[in-house]
Amino acid sequence: MSDVEIWIVIVALAISTAITRSGFWLVGHKVTIPRRVQEMLRYAPSCALAAIIGPDLLLEPSTQAFTLLNAKVFAGIAAVGWYLWRRNMLETIVFGMLFFTALRLLHLF
């Protein structure tokens, strides 16, 4: 690709991103979302987080095994315990990452 083609693609992607992201901002007050859909959208962030973390947590590239000797699995279990205790998603993410980092720094796994 030439430099001109690359810039055309960058500008086209920027415009399409701006249009799709500003759509609800521009017409959001005119669109009514049904109550049931609003209730379902409450779970979207949790589902997205699980979809991102789940495969990385359960599939260790070096072993491809779900064992407690996998630091990611151990940190995930600790994070689930933290969530069950505190019921706060942001705290759970921070705690899980800190726990995983501590395991790696202390070379426990």
Side-chain angles (χ1 to χ4, degrees):
M1 288 182 85
S2 69
D3 288 345
V4 174
E5 291 173 326
I6 291 172
W7 280 108
I8 290 171
V9 169
I10 290 172
V11 169
L13 288 173
I15 290 170
S16 67
T17 300
I19 290 170
T20 57
R21 292 183 183 259
S22 65
F24 282 108
W25 181 67
L26 294 173
V27 296
H29 60 282
K30 296 178 184 177
V31 176
T32 304
I33 298 174
R35 182 107 174 116
R36 182 154 171 90
V37 173
Q38 287 179 353
E39 291 173 6
M40 289 188 291
L41 286 175
R42 286 185 31 210
Y43 299 102
S46 299
C47 292
L49 186 63
I52 293 168
I53 293 175
D56 189 47
L57 184 72
L58 300 175
L59 297 175
E60 177 66 27
S62 62
T63 61
Q64 293 292 325
F66 180 73
T67 66
L68 286 178
L69 299 177
N70 182 348
K72 290 178 184 178
V73 172
F74 200 67
I77 292 169
V80 167
W82 183 270
Y83 179 77
L84 293 174
W85 178 46
R86 302 288 296 188
R87 300 286 182 183
N88 186 315
M89 186 62 73
L90 182 59
E91 285 182 15
T92 302
I93 294 168
V94 172
F95 176 78
M97 289 306 299
L98 289 174
F99 195 85
F100 177 66
T101 302
L103 288 175
R104 287 184 48 216
L105 291 176
L106 296 173
H107 300 290
L108 295 177
F109 288 92

